[in-house]
Amino acid sequence: MRTDATPIDRRAVVDRHAIELTAAHPEHVLSVGNGDFAFTADVTGMQTFTDFHSPALAVRRGETAVNTCTMSSWGWHEMPNPEGFVLDDAMSTYETARGPVSYPDRYDMQAAMQGQLTDEMRPGAWLHANPQRMDLGRIGLELRQTSDAAAEADPSVLRDIRQVQDLWTGEIRSSFTYAGSRVDVVTVADPDASTVAFRIRSALLADGRARVGLRFPYPSDGFFQTDDWDAGERHESTLRSRTGGAVVERIVDAARYSVALDVTGGRMARGDAPHAFHVDASGDELELVAAFRPDDDASAPATSFAEVRERSAAWWARFWESGAAVDLAASSDPRAPELERRVVLSQALTAVHCSGHLPPAETGLVTNSWQGKFHLEMHWWHAAHFAMWGRPELLERSLDWYLTVLDSARDTAARQGYPGARWPKQAGPDGRESPDPIGSLIAWQQPHVLYLLDLVWRATPEAGRAALVARFGELVEETAAFMAAFPEERDGELHLGPPIMPAQEFYDSRTTTDPTYELAYWWWGLEIAQRWRERAGRRRDEAWTDVQRRLATPKVVDGCYVAVATDEPMRRDDHPSLLMALGFVPETPIIDPEIMSATLDDVWDDWQWPTAWGWDFPVIAMTATRLGRGGLAFDALLRDEVKNTVTPVGHNPQMGAILPLYLPGNGSLLAAVALIAQTGTAAPGWTVRAEGFPA
């Protein structure tokens, strides 16, 4: 670790990791956006080759593909519900120390994906799949050998491909040759609106062999599918003129939105299908601005490509110049350039996909894992790093969502016999819990909002802290009230569960008790709530203090912590989440650092690493960092494992078509690097220049 008086040349760090592609690949897509909106493009800078990037079609080809979609935080759809399914229809009863309690667990993911649901599971399946995030529309080039030929469907017809994403300005510059003519496309997104803009230059525009096409699909409620192109009768797309272009008004069941299209150098026209339109150019240059809006009001003033491009460049320059930065160029370890690349690309990706006004989905605004819903136990991994890297405003805006659904969380706690508010594992924008036999029993998302708020507070200038404490005071109290009531007393000690499902999701929730990580996190979450009270000028809550004091000690076997305190042997696959008890969680009275150090060695030497997930390797790095073992921290971040890879575009793929990218892997990497920088952790071969990290 090294700091000096010379500021880091931030642009040089960012520019040396600009993304450059020279061939089409079904997994390599690039996104522009702002956290609440993203347009994901193929190698043309637009959404030209949709079949090539279709996950469903790629599976048939024996490949993995990543969608090219247009998605937002506001664009949600719900399939018709003629049978009126409600959450109570998906409940099962669990016997607990406080009596029978109902949890919404009646859902079978495998049966749902195979179309083999029983009648008992149908309500849970509908509730799990709805609402789903909408693909708002595809905007791509239609390339033809002649003006009346069929449009090309395979990118293999392109030559001389060169695509660059300039991370400092946020723009994508794409060029290629088709039919002997060069095509140049620049793609940018507005930093404050659901707007994408293009400038296209080619002689092919003038003679009709290239034009812009727009298509609008019906949503899909499939696990990773975003579109149903065979349901044209179930939605409406209406084109009408407006000054400077046109507007497409969309009606998709109860959802309404519009797309205002400003055209320079061409005109809009209806296509040959009900939901297809195109832009015919009047010369060899065309500019198009598409502004998506969550209603049917297209009264927004016309916007030019140049205006969007200028706003994008200004926002991204401010982003990179703000907060923290890391420069690894002086390191002698040959892996340093790769780690620096991952750090830079992860910052860009999470800014586009994880910095919006809702907690992010695991695949962001790229594709619809879990129908585009968000997993609250992943919220920390997606977005905690924004505060840790000195950009708390990019985390804070998603925390307001918890205030909007606080009553729903209160209802969940009350239904289970508790005070306060209980947060679900998986939810959509309305906060309704998604039925699941595992997710409904998970608890480690509960303290997250407290930890995230604490990170924001620490990164917020002194002048803004009082307002932050006041705004979120009720949220902190209600979250902690549930946590204080949740442990069960046995022989004077307080225990977590049963029923409880640990973060390592393979134990029997009806018998599991006292998962090691969750015990430490429970203490830490209550400690944050106590400090929040002190920041508001109030006394610590004595009842909460008593809970902290009486929490059970994690189980130790042969000098190492084990995952849970039951007789079931510790499984050595999936997440080594017991390490999070010291690493992700700072030091607490719950965990002995010497025992955790032995546990770290035990896990490192004996784990089924191909089963681990993208965020598990940063977990190890954080534990190693807290224990002062810097060499192991860097080794963990770069361990050569199937789910710890990062593609040329920055994605962290996990499970083929199901999870072709995984943003918790990107966010967790940034959290681990921030902890390394904040603690000054050193390791042979590594010279870490760091600046701007909050104390």
PDB file of all heavy atoms in Angstrom, residues 6 13 62 121 161 165 206 224 240 310 387 389 400-401 426 474 496-497 531 533 538 542 564 567 596 628 663 669:
ATOM      1  N   THR A   6       1.370  13.008  -4.795  1.00  0.00           N
ATOM      2  CA  THR A   6       1.061  13.165  -6.209  1.00  0.00           C
ATOM      3  C   THR A   6      -0.303  12.554  -6.514  1.00  0.00           C
ATOM      4  O   THR A   6      -0.506  11.357  -6.299  1.00  0.00           O
ATOM      5  CB  THR A   6       2.122  12.474  -7.077  1.00  0.00           C
ATOM      6  OG1 THR A   6       3.408  12.976  -6.732  1.00  0.00           O
ATOM      7  CG2 THR A   6       1.836  12.705  -8.550  1.00  0.00           C
ATOM      8  N   VAL A  13      -5.669   5.953 -15.758  1.00  0.00           N
ATOM      9  CA  VAL A  13      -6.088   4.650 -15.230  1.00  0.00           C
ATOM     10  C   VAL A  13      -7.323   4.153 -15.970  1.00  0.00           C
ATOM     11  O   VAL A  13      -7.400   2.995 -16.401  1.00  0.00           O
ATOM     12  CB  VAL A  13      -6.361   4.741 -13.716  1.00  0.00           C
ATOM     13  CG1 VAL A  13      -6.953   3.426 -13.207  1.00  0.00           C
ATOM     14  CG2 VAL A  13      -5.080   5.068 -12.949  1.00  0.00           C
ATOM     15  N   GLY A  62     -26.380 -24.443 -28.406  1.00  0.00           N
ATOM     16  CA  GLY A  62     -25.341 -24.914 -27.504  1.00  0.00           C
ATOM     17  C   GLY A  62     -24.426 -23.811 -27.035  1.00  0.00           C
ATOM     18  O   GLY A  62     -23.275 -24.069 -26.668  1.00  0.00           O
ATOM     19  N   MET A 121     -48.875 -25.505  -6.268  1.00  0.00           N
ATOM     20  CA  MET A 121     -47.768 -24.591  -6.532  1.00  0.00           C
ATOM     21  C   MET A 121     -48.128 -23.451  -7.473  1.00  0.00           C
ATOM     22  O   MET A 121     -47.351 -22.511  -7.632  1.00  0.00           O
ATOM     23  CB  MET A 121     -46.583 -25.373  -7.123  1.00  0.00           C
ATOM     24  CG  MET A 121     -45.948 -26.354  -6.156  1.00  0.00           C
ATOM     25  SD  MET A 121     -45.088 -25.502  -4.817  1.00  0.00           S
ATOM     26  CE  MET A 121     -44.536 -26.891  -3.824  1.00  0.00           C
ATOM     27  N   ILE A 161     -14.547  -5.010 -37.942  1.00  0.00           N
ATOM     28  CA  ILE A 161     -15.261  -4.554 -36.742  1.00  0.00           C
ATOM     29  C   ILE A 161     -14.281  -3.908 -35.761  1.00  0.00           C
ATOM     30  O   ILE A 161     -13.210  -4.446 -35.462  1.00  0.00           O
ATOM     31  CB  ILE A 161     -15.970  -5.740 -36.062  1.00  0.00           C
ATOM     32  CG1 ILE A 161     -17.097  -6.281 -36.952  1.00  0.00           C
ATOM     33  CG2 ILE A 161     -16.495  -5.345 -34.692  1.00  0.00           C
ATOM     34  CD1 ILE A 161     -17.689  -7.581 -36.451  1.00  0.00           C
ATOM     35  N   GLN A 165     -15.716   1.220 -26.081  1.00  0.00           N
ATOM     36  CA  GLN A 165     -16.484   1.955 -25.078  1.00  0.00           C
ATOM     37  C   GLN A 165     -15.516   2.853 -24.325  1.00  0.00           C
ATOM     38  O   GLN A 165     -14.620   2.383 -23.613  1.00  0.00           O
ATOM     39  CB  GLN A 165     -17.214   1.034 -24.110  1.00  0.00           C
ATOM     40  CG  GLN A 165     -18.088   1.827 -23.123  1.00  0.00           C
ATOM     41  CD  GLN A 165     -19.214   1.015 -22.538  1.00  0.00           C
ATOM     42  OE1 GLN A 165     -19.115  -0.194 -22.394  1.00  0.00           O
ATOM     43  NE2 GLN A 165     -20.312   1.674 -22.210  1.00  0.00           N
ATOM     44  N   ALA A 206     -28.094   6.354 -47.382  1.00  0.00           N
ATOM     45  CA  ALA A 206     -28.641   7.155 -48.479  1.00  0.00           C
ATOM     46  C   ALA A 206     -29.361   6.307 -49.520  1.00  0.00           C
ATOM     47  O   ALA A 206     -30.359   6.756 -50.112  1.00  0.00           O
ATOM     48  CB  ALA A 206     -27.513   7.961 -49.140  1.00  0.00           C
ATOM     49  N   PHE A 224     -35.243 -16.081 -17.304  1.00  0.00           N
ATOM     50  CA  PHE A 224     -34.234 -15.168 -17.842  1.00  0.00           C
ATOM     51  C   PHE A 224     -34.664 -14.556 -19.166  1.00  0.00           C
ATOM     52  O   PHE A 224     -33.903 -13.853 -19.804  1.00  0.00           O
ATOM     53  CB  PHE A 224     -32.882 -15.877 -18.012  1.00  0.00           C
ATOM     54  CG  PHE A 224     -32.905 -17.059 -18.950  1.00  0.00           C
ATOM     55  CD1 PHE A 224     -32.808 -16.886 -20.308  1.00  0.00           C
ATOM     56  CD2 PHE A 224     -33.024 -18.347 -18.459  1.00  0.00           C
ATOM     57  CE1 PHE A 224     -32.824 -17.971 -21.176  1.00  0.00           C
ATOM     58  CE2 PHE A 224     -33.034 -19.442 -19.316  1.00  0.00           C
ATOM     59  CZ  PHE A 224     -32.940 -19.247 -20.679  1.00  0.00           C
ATOM     60  N   ARG A 240     -47.595   8.217 -33.787  1.00  0.00           N
ATOM     61  CA  ARG A 240     -48.146   9.498 -34.206  1.00  0.00           C
ATOM     62  C   ARG A 240     -47.014  10.508 -34.346  1.00  0.00           C
ATOM     63  O   ARG A 240     -45.957  10.380 -33.725  1.00  0.00           O
ATOM     64  CB  ARG A 240     -49.219   9.994 -33.243  1.00  0.00           C
ATOM     65  CG  ARG A 240     -48.772  10.296 -31.834  1.00  0.00           C
ATOM     66  CD  ARG A 240     -49.954  10.803 -31.016  1.00  0.00           C
ATOM     67  NE  ARG A 240     -49.607  11.041 -29.633  1.00  0.00           N
ATOM     68  CZ  ARG A 240     -49.034  12.143 -29.160  1.00  0.00           C
ATOM     69  NH1 ARG A 240     -48.692  13.116 -30.017  1.00  0.00           N
ATOM     70  NH2 ARG A 240     -48.772  12.282 -27.887  1.00  0.00           N
ATOM     71  N   GLU A 310     -23.128  15.530 -24.779  1.00  0.00           N
ATOM     72  CA  GLU A 310     -22.447  16.468 -23.887  1.00  0.00           C
ATOM     73  C   GLU A 310     -22.774  16.169 -22.428  1.00  0.00           C
ATOM     74  O   GLU A 310     -21.888  16.180 -21.561  1.00  0.00           O
ATOM     75  CB  GLU A 310     -22.850  17.902 -24.245  1.00  0.00           C
ATOM     76  CG  GLU A 310     -22.160  18.960 -23.406  1.00  0.00           C
ATOM     77  CD  GLU A 310     -22.567  20.372 -23.793  1.00  0.00           C
ATOM     78  OE1 GLU A 310     -23.405  20.524 -24.712  1.00  0.00           O
ATOM     79  OE2 GLU A 310     -22.057  21.319 -23.171  1.00  0.00           O
ATOM     80  N   ALA A 387     -20.605   3.917  -1.400  1.00  0.00           N
ATOM     81  CA  ALA A 387     -20.226   4.696  -0.220  1.00  0.00           C
ATOM     82  C   ALA A 387     -18.775   4.435   0.161  1.00  0.00           C
ATOM     83  O   ALA A 387     -18.041   5.359   0.540  1.00  0.00           O
ATOM     84  CB  ALA A 387     -21.151   4.354   0.939  1.00  0.00           C
ATOM     85  N   TRP A 389     -16.350   3.858  -1.715  1.00  0.00           N
ATOM     86  CA  TRP A 389     -15.490   4.566  -2.661  1.00  0.00           C
ATOM     87  C   TRP A 389     -15.799   6.075  -2.686  1.00  0.00           C
ATOM     88  O   TRP A 389     -15.393   6.775  -3.612  1.00  0.00           O
ATOM     89  CB  TRP A 389     -15.647   3.984  -4.071  1.00  0.00           C
ATOM     90  CG  TRP A 389     -14.920   2.689  -4.260  1.00  0.00           C
ATOM     91  CD1 TRP A 389     -15.219   1.472  -3.720  1.00  0.00           C
ATOM     92  CD2 TRP A 389     -13.732   2.482  -5.043  1.00  0.00           C
ATOM     93  NE1 TRP A 389     -14.315   0.531  -4.110  1.00  0.00           N
ATOM     94  CE2 TRP A 389     -13.386   1.113  -4.935  1.00  0.00           C
ATOM     95  CE3 TRP A 389     -12.941   3.304  -5.839  1.00  0.00           C
ATOM     96  CZ2 TRP A 389     -12.280   0.562  -5.578  1.00  0.00           C
ATOM     97  CZ3 TRP A 389     -11.843   2.753  -6.490  1.00  0.00           C
ATOM     98  CH2 TRP A 389     -11.512   1.404  -6.352  1.00  0.00           C
ATOM     99  N   ASP A 400     -34.029   4.916  -0.176  1.00  0.00           N
ATOM    100  CA  ASP A 400     -35.362   5.500   0.008  1.00  0.00           C
ATOM    101  C   ASP A 400     -36.463   4.486  -0.307  1.00  0.00           C
ATOM    102  O   ASP A 400     -37.577   4.607   0.197  1.00  0.00           O
ATOM    103  CB  ASP A 400     -35.528   6.736  -0.873  1.00  0.00           C
ATOM    104  CG  ASP A 400     -34.862   7.964  -0.279  1.00  0.00           C
ATOM    105  OD1 ASP A 400     -35.007   8.189   0.933  1.00  0.00           O
ATOM    106  OD2 ASP A 400     -34.195   8.694  -1.032  1.00  0.00           O
ATOM    107  N   TRP A 401     -36.169   3.500  -1.159  1.00  0.00           N
ATOM    108  CA  TRP A 401     -37.178   2.475  -1.482  1.00  0.00           C
ATOM    109  C   TRP A 401     -37.661   1.774  -0.221  1.00  0.00           C
ATOM    110  O   TRP A 401     -38.845   1.459  -0.096  1.00  0.00           O
ATOM    111  CB  TRP A 401     -36.593   1.455  -2.464  1.00  0.00           C
ATOM    112  CG  TRP A 401     -37.514   0.305  -2.723  1.00  0.00           C
ATOM    113  CD1 TRP A 401     -38.555   0.265  -3.599  1.00  0.00           C
ATOM    114  CD2 TRP A 401     -37.477  -0.981  -2.081  1.00  0.00           C
ATOM    115  NE1 TRP A 401     -39.176  -0.969  -3.556  1.00  0.00           N
ATOM    116  CE2 TRP A 401     -38.531  -1.746  -2.639  1.00  0.00           C
ATOM    117  CE3 TRP A 401     -36.660  -1.554  -1.110  1.00  0.00           C
ATOM    118  CZ2 TRP A 401     -38.789  -3.062  -2.230  1.00  0.00           C
ATOM    119  CZ3 TRP A 401     -36.908  -2.859  -0.707  1.00  0.00           C
ATOM    120  CH2 TRP A 401     -37.960  -3.591  -1.262  1.00  0.00           C
ATOM    121  N   GLN A 426     -36.589 -11.680  -1.712  1.00  0.00           N
ATOM    122  CA  GLN A 426     -36.799 -11.288  -3.113  1.00  0.00           C
ATOM    123  C   GLN A 426     -38.096 -10.512  -3.223  1.00  0.00           C
ATOM    124  O   GLN A 426     -39.112 -10.905  -2.651  1.00  0.00           O
ATOM    125  CB  GLN A 426     -36.864 -12.524  -4.009  1.00  0.00           C
ATOM    126  CG  GLN A 426     -37.172 -12.198  -5.480  1.00  0.00           C
ATOM    127  CD  GLN A 426     -37.155 -13.434  -6.353  1.00  0.00           C
ATOM    128  OE1 GLN A 426     -36.186 -14.148  -6.415  1.00  0.00           O
ATOM    129  NE2 GLN A 426     -38.262 -13.687  -7.043  1.00  0.00           N
ATOM    130  N   GLU A 474     -36.789   6.265  11.546  1.00  0.00           N
ATOM    131  CA  GLU A 474     -37.857   5.287  11.728  1.00  0.00           C
ATOM    132  C   GLU A 474     -37.503   3.950  11.090  1.00  0.00           C
ATOM    133  O   GLU A 474     -37.783   2.878  11.653  1.00  0.00           O
ATOM    134  CB  GLU A 474     -39.162   5.822  11.125  1.00  0.00           C
ATOM    135  CG  GLU A 474     -40.354   4.887  11.320  1.00  0.00           C
ATOM    136  CD  GLU A 474     -41.623   5.416  10.674  1.00  0.00           C
ATOM    137  OE1 GLU A 474     -41.520   6.302   9.790  1.00  0.00           O
ATOM    138  OE2 GLU A 474     -42.723   4.940  11.025  1.00  0.00           O
ATOM    139  N   LEU A 496     -30.562 -17.908  17.051  1.00  0.00           N
ATOM    140  CA  LEU A 496     -31.219 -17.625  15.775  1.00  0.00           C
ATOM    141  C   LEU A 496     -31.743 -18.926  15.181  1.00  0.00           C
ATOM    142  O   LEU A 496     -30.956 -19.817  14.835  1.00  0.00           O
ATOM    143  CB  LEU A 496     -30.243 -16.959  14.804  1.00  0.00           C
ATOM    144  CG  LEU A 496     -29.653 -15.615  15.232  1.00  0.00           C
ATOM    145  CD1 LEU A 496     -28.731 -15.076  14.144  1.00  0.00           C
ATOM    146  CD2 LEU A 496     -30.746 -14.598  15.542  1.00  0.00           C
ATOM    147  N   GLY A 497     -33.070 -19.027  15.092  1.00  0.00           N
ATOM    148  CA  GLY A 497     -33.695 -20.197  14.509  1.00  0.00           C
ATOM    149  C   GLY A 497     -33.751 -21.353  15.476  1.00  0.00           C
ATOM    150  O   GLY A 497     -33.185 -21.292  16.570  1.00  0.00           O
ATOM    151  N   ARG A 531     -25.899   2.996  17.590  1.00  0.00           N
ATOM    152  CA  ARG A 531     -25.144   4.204  17.258  1.00  0.00           C
ATOM    153  C   ARG A 531     -26.026   5.222  16.543  1.00  0.00           C
ATOM    154  O   ARG A 531     -25.843   6.432  16.709  1.00  0.00           O
ATOM    155  CB  ARG A 531     -23.936   3.835  16.392  1.00  0.00           C
ATOM    156  CG  ARG A 531     -22.921   2.952  17.107  1.00  0.00           C
ATOM    157  CD  ARG A 531     -21.779   2.533  16.193  1.00  0.00           C
ATOM    158  NE  ARG A 531     -20.888   1.579  16.846  1.00  0.00           N
ATOM    159  CZ  ARG A 531     -19.810   1.053  16.271  1.00  0.00           C
ATOM    160  NH1 ARG A 531     -19.490   1.393  15.021  1.00  0.00           N
ATOM    161  NH2 ARG A 531     -19.051   0.194  16.934  1.00  0.00           N
ATOM    162  N   ARG A 533     -29.145   5.731  17.147  1.00  0.00           N
ATOM    163  CA  ARG A 533     -29.878   6.411  18.224  1.00  0.00           C
ATOM    164  C   ARG A 533     -28.996   7.484  18.865  1.00  0.00           C
ATOM    165  O   ARG A 533     -29.453   8.608  19.128  1.00  0.00           O
ATOM    166  CB  ARG A 533     -30.321   5.394  19.279  1.00  0.00           C
ATOM    167  CG  ARG A 533     -31.411   4.443  18.815  1.00  0.00           C
ATOM    168  CD  ARG A 533     -31.682   3.373  19.871  1.00  0.00           C
ATOM    169  NE  ARG A 533     -32.223   3.933  21.091  1.00  0.00           N
ATOM    170  CZ  ARG A 533     -33.520   4.084  21.358  1.00  0.00           C
ATOM    171  NH1 ARG A 533     -34.424   3.685  20.465  1.00  0.00           N
ATOM    172  NH2 ARG A 533     -33.925   4.601  22.496  1.00  0.00           N
ATOM    173  N   ARG A 538     -30.184  10.299  21.297  1.00  0.00           N
ATOM    174  CA  ARG A 538     -30.974   9.413  22.159  1.00  0.00           C
ATOM    175  C   ARG A 538     -30.064   8.401  22.842  1.00  0.00           C
ATOM    176  O   ARG A 538     -28.937   8.159  22.412  1.00  0.00           O
ATOM    177  CB  ARG A 538     -32.042   8.692  21.336  1.00  0.00           C
ATOM    178  CG  ARG A 538     -32.960   9.638  20.573  1.00  0.00           C
ATOM    179  CD  ARG A 538     -33.795   8.876  19.554  1.00  0.00           C
ATOM    180  NE  ARG A 538     -34.689   7.925  20.189  1.00  0.00           N
ATOM    181  CZ  ARG A 538     -35.313   6.947  19.553  1.00  0.00           C
ATOM    182  NH1 ARG A 538     -35.082   6.756  18.255  1.00  0.00           N
ATOM    183  NH2 ARG A 538     -36.119   6.141  20.198  1.00  0.00           N
ATOM    184  N   GLU A 542     -31.695  -0.357  26.012  1.00  0.00           N
ATOM    185  CA  GLU A 542     -31.182  -1.357  26.944  1.00  0.00           C
ATOM    186  C   GLU A 542     -31.605  -2.763  26.551  1.00  0.00           C
ATOM    187  O   GLU A 542     -30.857  -3.732  26.753  1.00  0.00           O
ATOM    188  CB  GLU A 542     -31.648  -1.028  28.365  1.00  0.00           C
ATOM    189  CG  GLU A 542     -31.037   0.256  28.916  1.00  0.00           C
ATOM    190  CD  GLU A 542     -31.485   0.533  30.342  1.00  0.00           C
ATOM    191  OE1 GLU A 542     -32.222  -0.307  30.907  1.00  0.00           O
ATOM    192  OE2 GLU A 542     -31.097   1.577  30.885  1.00  0.00           O
ATOM    193  N   VAL A 564     -23.062 -23.898  10.936  1.00  0.00           N
ATOM    194  CA  VAL A 564     -24.267 -23.870  11.762  1.00  0.00           C
ATOM    195  C   VAL A 564     -24.020 -24.675  13.031  1.00  0.00           C
ATOM    196  O   VAL A 564     -23.089 -25.478  13.108  1.00  0.00           O
ATOM    197  CB  VAL A 564     -25.489 -24.429  10.996  1.00  0.00           C
ATOM    198  CG1 VAL A 564     -25.800 -23.563   9.782  1.00  0.00           C
ATOM    199  CG2 VAL A 564     -25.253 -25.868  10.571  1.00  0.00           C
ATOM    200  N   ASP A 567     -26.132 -30.723  14.332  1.00  0.00           N
ATOM    201  CA  ASP A 567     -25.299 -31.908  14.154  1.00  0.00           C
ATOM    202  C   ASP A 567     -25.000 -32.191  12.688  1.00  0.00           C
ATOM    203  O   ASP A 567     -24.171 -33.052  12.377  1.00  0.00           O
ATOM    204  CB  ASP A 567     -25.988 -33.131  14.777  1.00  0.00           C
ATOM    205  CG  ASP A 567     -26.070 -33.014  16.289  1.00  0.00           C
ATOM    206  OD1 ASP A 567     -25.217 -32.321  16.867  1.00  0.00           O
ATOM    207  OD2 ASP A 567     -27.005 -33.593  16.876  1.00  0.00           O
ATOM    208  N   MET A 596     -11.025 -17.585  13.721  1.00  0.00           N
ATOM    209  CA  MET A 596     -11.400 -17.264  12.343  1.00  0.00           C
ATOM    210  C   MET A 596     -10.217 -17.420  11.400  1.00  0.00           C
ATOM    211  O   MET A 596     -10.384 -17.847  10.247  1.00  0.00           O
ATOM    212  CB  MET A 596     -11.966 -15.850  12.246  1.00  0.00           C
ATOM    213  CG  MET A 596     -12.446 -15.470  10.849  1.00  0.00           C
ATOM    214  SD  MET A 596     -13.680 -16.624  10.143  1.00  0.00           S
ATOM    215  CE  MET A 596     -15.150 -16.101  11.029  1.00  0.00           C
ATOM    216  N   GLY A 628      -5.192  -9.226   8.558  1.00  0.00           N
ATOM    217  CA  GLY A 628      -3.845  -8.774   8.238  1.00  0.00           C
ATOM    218  C   GLY A 628      -3.072  -9.696   7.330  1.00  0.00           C
ATOM    219  O   GLY A 628      -1.833  -9.687   7.331  1.00  0.00           O
ATOM    220  N   LEU A 663     -23.745  -9.171 -11.320  1.00  0.00           N
ATOM    221  CA  LEU A 663     -23.230  -7.912 -10.802  1.00  0.00           C
ATOM    222  C   LEU A 663     -22.808  -7.959  -9.334  1.00  0.00           C
ATOM    223  O   LEU A 663     -21.937  -7.170  -8.935  1.00  0.00           O
ATOM    224  CB  LEU A 663     -24.251  -6.809 -11.050  1.00  0.00           C
ATOM    225  CG  LEU A 663     -24.347  -6.431 -12.543  1.00  0.00           C
ATOM    226  CD1 LEU A 663     -25.629  -5.683 -12.832  1.00  0.00           C
ATOM    227  CD2 LEU A 663     -23.139  -5.627 -12.980  1.00  0.00           C
ATOM    228  N   LEU A 669     -16.177  -7.240  -5.470  1.00  0.00           N
ATOM    229  CA  LEU A 669     -14.768  -6.956  -5.762  1.00  0.00           C
ATOM    230  C   LEU A 669     -14.410  -5.540  -5.324  1.00  0.00           C
ATOM    231  O   LEU A 669     -13.384  -5.305  -4.674  1.00  0.00           O
ATOM    232  CB  LEU A 669     -14.502  -7.124  -7.255  1.00  0.00           C
ATOM    233  CG  LEU A 669     -13.134  -6.635  -7.740  1.00  0.00           C
ATOM    234  CD1 LEU A 669     -12.066  -7.670  -7.461  1.00  0.00           C
ATOM    235  CD2 LEU A 669     -13.167  -6.288  -9.219  1.00  0.00           C
TER     236      LEU A 669
END
